Amino acid sequence: MFASLGRFVVRRPWWVILAWVIAAAAVISLAPKLTSSSDEASFLPSDYESIRASDVQEKDFPRQQNIGAIIVFQRSDGARLTARDSAAVAKIAASLNKEKIKGIDTVAPGSLSPNKRVLSSPVAMPKVTDPNDKSPQDAVKELREDLKPDLRGTGLKAGVTGSAAQALDESDSSARAGMLVAAGTVVIIIVLLLVIFRSPIIALLPVVLIGLISPMATGLIASANEAFDLKADSSVQELLTVVLFGVGTDYILFLLFRYREALRAGEDSKSGMVHAVERVGEAIASAAGAVIVAFAALALSTLGMLKSMGPALAIAVFVTLLAGLTLVPAVVSLLGTRVFWPSKAWQREPKGAAFARFGKSVARRPAVWALISALVMGALAVGALGYRANFDLAGSSLPKTKESMVAMRDMQKGFPAGTVDPTSVYLSSADDRPLSAAQADSFRTGLGKVEGVGSVSAPKLSPDRSTAAYSVVLSDPPASDKALTTVKDRLRPTAHDGAPRGTKALVGGTTAVYVDINKAVDRDYSVVFPVAAVCIMVILGLLLRSLVAPWYLMLSVALGFGATLGATSIIFQRIGSQPGLMFMLPVIMYLFVVALGTDYNILMVSRLREEAREGRGPHDAAGTAIR
C-alpha cells in the first residue's frame, strides 16, 4: 500500500502540492475562528457542587453584583489612612462613575481595613458568558488610565486587581509567551537541522510545510469544536504549535533519513523516495495512529478542557500524517538531491558516527545498558511522588511586577488574602419555604468558626426568602493549597452538616471550582490513561504481530512518563522555589511523553523487525537500528 502511495506521489508531485494548497485555502477561508475559554467553571460538568451553586446564584440572585475588579488604595508615604483619605477615595469613586466606563456598572467607595493601611474599592461588572468577550479586560485597561489623573494631589496610590485585572495581565503575558514558544520552536528546529544535515533547504522545509498545514489544522479543529459544541482551553494554541512542529519534524526526519539511506545504496532520487515511503510509511502511520489514539482518549474526560483538547490535537496529528506521507515526498521528489545542498555528506556513510559506536556498545552489552537506563529512569521516577498540583496559575506564572499582583499583595496588608475572590455559600430551603432569621444567623455563625475562614458576610436573602447567600472570605489566597484544603476538608463538610433540618447548603466560587477540577482530574487519570494504554498496546500488537513486545514497550513508556514528571518535580520544586506545578502538567506530559515515546518506540522496533527479516541476529539488528 505504501509503495503504491509513494509511486503515485512521486509521479504526480505538482498535482499533490496543488491539492494541498486548494484544500488549505478552502479550510482556512470557510472555517470559523478557533476560540478559547479561560473560565475554569465552564469546563466542569453540571453535577459538581460548584456548578450547582452557580446555578442557585443565577436562579435566586440574578442581579447579584459581579465584582470583576478591586481598586486597592493606600497612602504613598506608607502611613495609616485618615478620614480625609477616605473622603478622597469616595470622591475618586464618584468621578470614575461619572466617566461611564464601558463594561463597569459601579465603583463603590469601598471599605477601610481594620489596621487602616488599605482601602479596597470593589468594581461591579456585568457577568460575561461569552469566552471571547474581552470587555472586562478593556474596562480594566481604561479604569487604570482614568485612575491616574484622579490620584494627583491626593497623597494616595492605587492599583487594580481582581479576576478581570488578572485576566488582562495574563493576556498580555500569554501573548508574549505564545510568540516566544512559536519563535523558539522554529529557531531550535532550524538550528538542529542545520547541524544534522548542513542544508538550509532541509532546515527550512519543516517550517514552510508546517506553516502551510498549521492554519489548515486550526481551521479543522475550529469546525469540529463548533459542530460538537466543544470548548477549547486557552492553552490549546501553544500546544498546537509544539505538536505540529514536533510531530511534523519527526515525520519529515524519518522520511529524509530513509531517503538518504536509499540514495547511499545507489538508488536514484525518484525510486529512493518511493523506497523511503514504502519502508517508513508503516512506521509513521502506526506511530501517528498511536498518538491519535492517545490524544483522542482524552475525549473520555469529564473536564471540557481535556475533552476538547484531545480531539483537537488528534486532528492536528492526522493532518500532519497526511502531509508527511504525501506533501513532503512530493516536495522532496521535485527537489531531488538538491534538498541536501550544499552538503555532500549525503553521498557516503560516515564510518565513525557516534550513534554507530553507541549501537555497537548496546549490541555487545544489552543487559548492562538495560540495567543502567532502568536505574536512572527509576530513580527519577521516584521524584514524581513529590509532585504537588498548583492551581494558582496567575500567582506562579505572572511576573510579580504586574499591577494585579502588586495590588493583591498590597491588599493583603490589611485584609484576608481571600478578599480578592470570596467563596460563595448558599443555604436553600428544600421545600421553597422561607428561611427564618434564626436559621440564617445560626448557619452563618457555624461558617465563621471554620478554621481558615477570615470572615462571613451577613446573609442576603432571595426575593422569596427561600435561599440565603453568604460571602465567605478565606484567610489564604483563593487558589492556594491551604484555601483548597479549607473548602474541601472543612468548609464544605461544615456547611453540609450544619444546614438546618429542611435545608441544603452548597459551596461555590473560584476555590470550590478548583476543588472540583482536582477531583475531576483524579477521576480522569484513572479512566483516560488505562484506556489509552490498552488502545496503544493493540496498535503495537497489530504492527509487531506480537503479544509480548507491546508490554515491554508500554513499560518503557510508563517509566519515561514517571521519570519526566519526577525530574520536573525535582528541578522546579526541590531545587527551584515553586510551591507546586501546574495542575494540568501530568496531562500535558501524558500527551507528549506517552504519545511521542510510543512514536519513537514504533520507529525503533519496526526497524529492528526489518533488520531481523534480512537475517541479522537480535544484537546486530539492535546496533543497526540505533545507528
Side-chain angles (χ1 to χ4, degrees):
M1 180 182 77
F2 292 103
S4 300
L5 176 63
R7 284 191 292 269
F8 175 83
V9 170
V10 168
R11 289 172 183 170
R12 301 172 181 84
W14 285 113
W15 287 106
V16 172
I17 295 171
L18 180 62
W20 270 97
V21 172
I22 293 173
V27 170
I28 295 169
S29 61
L30 298 176
K33 183 182 178 183
L34 179 62
T35 59
S36 61
S37 173
S38 57
D39 178 13
E40 291 86 356
S42 67
F43 296 117
L44 278 169
S46 59
D47 57 333
Y48 280 87
E49 183 172 345
S50 58
I51 305 303
R52 288 187 284 129
S54 178
D55 293 340
V56 170
Q57 186 262 315
E58 293 286 344
K59 173 178 173 288
D60 294 330
F61 302 93
R63 296 184 180 178
Q64 181 175 325
Q65 283 189 331
N66 173 49
I67 306 302
I70 298 175
I71 308 175
V72 181
F73 293 92
Q74 55 185 324
R75 286 192 59 84
S76 301
D77 57 9
R80 295 179 187 274
L81 292 160
T82 64
R84 183 179 178 181
D85 295 326
S86 296
V89 171
K91 186 177 179 181
I92 291 173
S95 173
L96 292 172
N97 284 324
K98 286 181 182 178
E99 294 289 338
K100 300 290 184 184
I101 299 174
K102 185 179 179 181
I104 291 180
D105 292 334
T106 57
V107 179
S111 58
L112 187 64
S113 65
N115 63 5
K116 297 185 179 183
R117 293 288 185 186
V118 180
L119 194 152
S120 67
S121 184
V123 180
M125 296 179 168
K127 189 167 184 178
V128 174
T129 56
D130 181 5
N132 300 307
D133 189 350
K134 304 299 182 185
S135 59
Q137 299 176 31
D138 295 336
V140 169
K141 188 181 296 184
E142 188 174 348
L143 177 65
R144 286 173 172 173
E145 290 299 320
D146 290 350
L147 255 178
K148 293 175 182 176
D150 289 340
L151 288 169
R152 290 181 191 137
T154 63
L156 300 172
K157 63 179 181 178
V160 182
T161 187
S163 58
Q166 284 188 354
L168 173 63
D169 292 342
E170 281 186 276
S171 177
D172 293 341
S173 294
S174 63
R176 287 192 292 271
M179 291 175 61
L180 286 172
V181 167
T185 303
V186 170
V187 168
I188 289 171
I189 288 173
I190 290 175
V191 170
L192 285 176
L193 293 185
L194 278 173
V195 171
I196 294 168
F197 287 100
R198 302 176 184 84
S199 166
I201 297 175
I202 291 180
L204 293 174
L205 189 61
V207 177
V208 174
L209 294 182
I210 295 168
L212 171 66
I213 65 175
S214 178
M216 184 178 179
T218 302
L220 291 174
I221 292 166
S223 299
N225 285 352
E226 186 176 82
F228 297 102
D229 192 28
L230 297 174
K231 293 182 175 68
D233 176 54
S234 56
S235 63
V236 73
Q237 195 65 57
E238 283 81 1
L239 288 176
L240 272 176
T241 299
V242 179
V243 166
L244 284 169
F245 276 100
V247 174
T249 304
D250 272 353
Y251 298 162
I252 290 173
L253 285 177
F254 295 170
L255 197 69
L256 285 177
F257 276 122
R258 186 53 72 99
Y259 177 56
R260 186 178 66 179
E261 189 176 329
L263 294 176
R264 285 172 174 169
E267 297 192 43
D268 61 72
S269 60
K270 298 292 185 182
S271 63
M273 180 51 66
V274 173
H275 174 90
V277 173
E278 177 187 8
R279 290 289 186 170
V280 85
E282 184 182 23
I284 291 178
S286 301
V291 174
I292 289 170
V293 165
F295 288 174
L298 289 176
L300 299 173
S301 170
T302 56
L303 282 176
M305 68 177 79
L306 300 184
K307 189 174 290 187
S308 62
M309 183 189 295
L313 299 179
I315 290 171
V317 173
F318 180 71
V319 174
T320 308
L321 168 65
L322 294 180
L325 293 179
T326 57
L327 182 60
V328 176
V331 172
V332 175
S333 66
L334 285 174
L335 294 172
T337 57
R338 291 188 297 273
V339 75
F340 298 106
W341 179 88
S343 174
K344 302 292 185 182
W346 63 271
Q347 297 175 347
R348 58 192 177 278
E349 180 79 22
K351 299 298 182 183
F355 284 100
R357 293 194 299 271
F358 179 59
K360 290 179 181 178
S361 177
V362 172
R364 285 195 302 268
R365 302 178 185 86
V368 172
W369 280 105
L371 180 61
I372 291 172
S373 61
L375 288 175
V376 172
M377 302 278 273
L380 290 174
V382 172
L385 299 175
Y387 165 77
R388 295 188 300 273
N390 179 23
F391 287 85
D392 187 12
L393 302 186
S396 60
S397 62
L398 276 178
K400 304 302 181 186
T401 54
K402 284 290 185 181
E403 183 174 333
S404 60
M405 303 305 296
V406 173
M408 183 182 295
R409 290 196 300 273
D410 289 339
M411 193 162 86
Q412 292 174 15
K413 296 175 182 177
F415 292 100
T419 304
V420 69
D421 198 349
T423 293
S424 301
V425 180
Y426 299 96
L427 180 68
S428 302
S429 173
D431 52 9
D432 293 332
R433 291 181 181 179
L435 294 170
S436 68
Q439 286 177 318
D441 289 339
S442 65
F443 185 72
R444 178 195 180 193
T445 301
L447 295 179
K449 294 179 180 178
V450 174
E451 182 186 350
V453 169
S455 65
V456 182
S457 69
K460 179 181 179 181
L461 296 175
S462 61
D464 63 359
R465 302 183 65 82
S466 66
T467 301
Y470 303 84
S471 180
V472 179
V473 175
L474 303 178
S475 303
D476 302 294
S480 65
D481 284 343
K482 290 182 178 180
L484 267 66
T485 300
T486 296
V487 169
K488 178 186 175 184
D489 296 339
R490 294 190 289 273
L491 183 60
R492 273 184 172 170
T494 299
H496 297 162
D497 297 340
R501 185 185 299 272
T503 67
K504 60 181 179 180
L506 293 172
V507 179
T510 300
T511 307
V513 167
Y514 288 143
V515 170
D516 290 340
I517 287 178
N518 206 13
K519 181 180 177 182
V521 168
D522 288 343
R523 175 266 174 199
D524 290 344
Y525 288 163
S526 65
V527 173
V528 173
F529 286 7
V531 169
V534 170
C535 292
I536 291 173
M537 286 182 68
V538 169
I539 292 176
L540 291 172
L542 293 174
L543 172 68
L544 304 175
R545 283 82 168 173
S546 169
L547 294 175
V548 178
W551 290 96
Y552 285 105
L553 297 181
M554 287 308 298
L555 179 62
S556 72
V557 170
L559 196 58
F561 172 81
T564 307
L565 182 59
T568 308
S569 300
I570 292 169
I571 290 170
F572 290 99
Q573 290 181 181
R574 294 181 182 272
I575 299 176
S577 58
Q578 292 294 327
L581 300 172
M582 177 184 176
F583 71 97
M584 289 288 293
L585 186 65
V587 174
I588 294 173
M589 285 189 172
Y590 155 80
L591 293 174
F592 289 99
V593 177
V594 175
L596 297 181
T598 304
D599 188 352
Y600 299 140
N601 274 342
I602 288 175
L603 178 72
M604 180 62 69
V605 173
S606 64
R607 188 60 187 255
L608 280 169
R609 188 183 63 179
E610 182 181 329
E611 296 301 327
R613 283 175 176 171
E614 294 182 2
R616 288 185 173 87
H619 290 200
D620 289 341
T624 304
I626 289 172
R627 176 173 58 80

